[in-house]
């Protein structure tokens, strides 16, 4: 049985490549989807497709139109969600995606460093599992196939 | 027609009192609910009710058990949600509540300063209305009664 | 038993007053809700609350933010919907509201002149009842209390 | 990952062919579905299958029975919806389909000329993305595969 | 705690009066709703409100428009359903209402004579309780208040 | 695109074979499912699997346990439902299945002879399409592929 | 704001009276509902209402018909659920009710002695809060009103 | 048509192997899923993946995090559920899974010895079918393919 897992989180580094590579090494039949990982493209896709916007507020809103279209479509097709938080960036869209996933009955794995225990406590408490590393998240996925 | 509105957001200052007072001044028949506003109590309610926990991670988790019980109960009874973000604090539970509200079909008003446009762009784009002040949020609520 | 009925349709004349007056004359315990009926206010509420917008596209979008907040909140609280179409105006928001109502399991009464049979045939076919006058729509509501 | 996209809109010209051809040129793994595109057949399918009807009102209703069966079946199987509006025709069924899609949690791309900004403002505001051309709509779909 | 109970079934005799009278005698705080009980009116309400129809098929369809509006509205407001079957009449609308109730998560009491065990076996098996008399149905309702 | 269609109705003759044969002749990529068509087996499956029952009421209930398991499983996997009524038999399970299908958002084709217009008027009014012959029902299915 | 809370659990002692009395002492505006608390009556209600049954299996099934009608009706009206487990009795219906409550989006408080940690670990993990005493459960409820 | 069936129940013996072997012998195209069947691994998976826990309560909770992730994911993908109860063990998670399945509209087969009729009467009454042996459960599954 093959699963689709949405990878919610920041797009400033290549953590999703790590997930994909390690899942491959373990031969997990999991199809990973997620947001646009090219940060530049993600921020400019609104103007790229919809044309120049009046100011930065509207540029951001135009980009979000298209990023949210992508997220809604892929999240709806996913069987589970991994949400990763780190010490940098606001990451409110990650928490938002986690809320959408939870209310949409998708099981959720939260990945976060111990330093973020306190501010993520409500989210962690609603997630199915909270781990600190990507390896642990894959351990959880792999467990489904044992 | 009376509405119940959940006030999602930080509990470090008394912004909810401002909402309540101003709603009263405008005679809006709105019943506001929200999380525990006494920060101390919110952080310690887990140990207060469930007893001493092994360490801070578990203390936080115990508090979240009870805070999430309250939030789920009150959010489910609400007709709309106001989510307020400011420049301090992580506020991931606010974004989480917003996600739960959106997927639960509750109309959402986002209140945030202009400085947070970029990191809140996906959430703002999914909210019904984004404003910068509590007065504007109340303007939106008042509009329903015009 | 009291019902709440959402009155979807154009806001260029006072047809909703006719509904309310005639329902009162028949002593129907129905609470009617609907969009902002002051057309000026409806079109400018975005700029009224959110401030000046870059151009007319954004002015319209800002107004819709707030009008859609109102509609979503009131539609969700309604037990049934009356959607009225006439020969003037585009009225796409009326058809949109009808779609939202139907998929949200709200019984729907469509009011339209015979001249609009053809373009409204799919909507009429999905509505519970299609009538040509407000009096007939009230006849249908009154029938529930017989 | 393959998606199914419902193409809501008028059936007076071959805009869906343009969508299909251009999607093929871009190698998008998208399966497009939609209403009957032969206008004659769409209008007469009621009498074609159910036999002669008493008058034009009933002819239209009979056709809608079958067109709505097709739309409900295909919309339910779709992952997203593109709704196209132009300057001709009433297009209320397009707005209706958009409402059914939105309430059914299907992400929605609205295609409309700038001239229709005002009458489509509520629908545009609820859609995920609003564009002016078919190429832009395909840009949005293509973005999901980047 | 007050409940609303929909009384599905034929409208050829006054069995609903018996339900209401006996519930009153037992002081059950139950509000009973149901279809139009005046059979004449029920059959002609389509033409009464919508005007003369081309033939009997359309007369029936017009009546059903309005009867189904009433049923959908009242069923949605109900907490439970009592569906009564007897030896006369087709009673397919009763079975239909039972199906709508069951799929809508309304607890269902089926009242039927022993002679109808076989043809009602699938419905009986899905109902919460099957009884043979109105008194037994009221016994079940009364039990909720014990 | 392949669809699964549930064939609700009596199991006293082989009308489902007619549906399957004619769909094959038209090359419709439709997978038909339905109840057990061997009437004997359907009536005795309860005792066949669960053992002897105390009397005929319990024999029927035991059979329904298993028939309803099958129907619920297959109905949930179906994209549309054809419900056929004839002049013989009570057929309350057909009306029940139609109600379950309608409330479960499955598009519904009703097949019934003209003689049954009146007793099936509420069901016909809620179905997407009402036809009189199996050929017409297949015309409707075929239309989805045009 | 008044809440309705369903008290799931065994009916061999009067623990619900303790809940009600203590809630009253704290002036909590909570309306408690639950199963029949008279064990005798609960076990015999099937035969009491439906008449003598062939053997004990059917007597139990008949009682469950009516007990499940009550539970479904009251659970659906409840805003939250308290499920209490003790060291005696099988209590599978308590775990069943907890599952129904969780999947029905009702926040859940689990009350169980420490001795039952292991066998209740999956349920405890899905509940919002797990406590060991009724006083703690009331502490949680009271917290919603702080 | 292939189905996925979740096998809920204790993991102390290899009853699921019996199900799988016998289904294979009958050539049933059913894909069986279920919880981790290695009891040791199931109990320690929390510490295996998340590291040492403060005490046995937290060890159990950590294991449940991961077991519940697996169950939620697999249950959501299943078309039906078989829940097996025996005379040993508490089996509250089996009853919990049954409740989640029922409220999630999955048809349910209950397998239990006659000795457990009384304590499982509410669950049995809500299940589609109750049988005493695995062979009977497979008879029910096989019946869907007849």
């Amino acid at each position: 049985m093959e699963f689709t897992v949405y990878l919610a989180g920041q797009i400033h580094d290549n953590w999703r490549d790590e997930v994909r590579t390690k899942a491959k090494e373990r031969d997990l039949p999991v199809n990973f989807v997620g947001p646009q990982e090219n940060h530049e493209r993600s921020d400019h896709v609104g103007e790229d497709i919809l044309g120049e916007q009046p100011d930065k507020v509207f540029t951001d809103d135009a980009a979000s139109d298209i990023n949210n279209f992508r997220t809604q479509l892929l999240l709806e097709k996913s069987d589970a969600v991994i949400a990763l938080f780190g010490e940098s960036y606001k990451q409110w869209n990650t928490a938002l995606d986690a809320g959408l996933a939870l209310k949409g009955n998708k099981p959720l794995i939260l990945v976060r460093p111990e330093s973020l225990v306190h501010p993520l406590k409500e989210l962690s408490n609603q997630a199915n599992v909270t781990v600190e590393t990507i390896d642990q998240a894959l351990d959880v996925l792999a467990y489904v196939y044992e």
Side-chain angles (χ1 to χ4, degrees), chain A:
Chain A
M1 187 175 273
E2 211 171 279
F3 297 112
T4 298
V5 174
Y6 189 89
L7 300 175
Q10 48 84 358
I11 56 171
H12 297 78
D13 65 40
N14 63 346
W15 70 271
R16 286 178 188 80
D17 286 339
E18 191 187 335
V19 173
R20 279 184 288 251
T21 305
K22 288 179 166 173
K24 210 169 193 174
E25 284 165 16
R26 293 168 178 237
D27 280 326
L28 294 180
V30 176
N31 176 29
F32 294 101
V33 294
Q36 169 60 255
E37 294 173 48
N38 178 330
H39 198 183
E40 280 286 290
R41 173 67 165 151
S42 172
D43 274 3
H44 297 119
V45 66
E47 292 205 324
D48 288 354
I49 295 181
L50 306 173
E52 210 182 334
Q53 301 298 313
D55 67 23
K56 282 177 64 169
V57 177
F58 292 102
T59 299
D60 274 351
D61 195 47
S64 296
D65 276 352
I66 298 165
N67 286 319
N68 282 339
F69 175 83
R70 177 179 171 137
T71 299
Q72 187 182 340
L73 181 58
L74 294 176
L75 202 53
E76 204 64 38
K77 300 289 272 189
S78 297
D79 302 305
V81 172
I82 295 175
L84 176 141
F85 283 81
E87 291 184 8
S88 309
Y89 321 113
K90 299 291 191 190
Q91 303 168 88
W92 287 320
N93 48 0
T94 313
L96 170 65
D97 288 349
L100 296 168
L102 285 165
K103 189 71 182 174
N105 288 316
K106 313 283 182 192
L108 176 68
I109 302 170
L110 173 65
V111 188
R112 60 106 185 83
E114 210 189 329
S115 56
L116 297 181
V117 164
H118 189 68
L120 282 168
K121 65 185 194 295
E122 282 84 10
L123 206 164
S124 171
N125 186 264
Q126 291 186 45
N128 293 58
V129 197
T130 299
V131 298
E132 295 188 13
T133 68
I134 284 172
D135 285 301
Q136 289 173 310
L138 289 168
D139 287 347
V140 176
L141 284 186
Y143 181 73
V144 179
Y145 292 102
E146 283 179 14

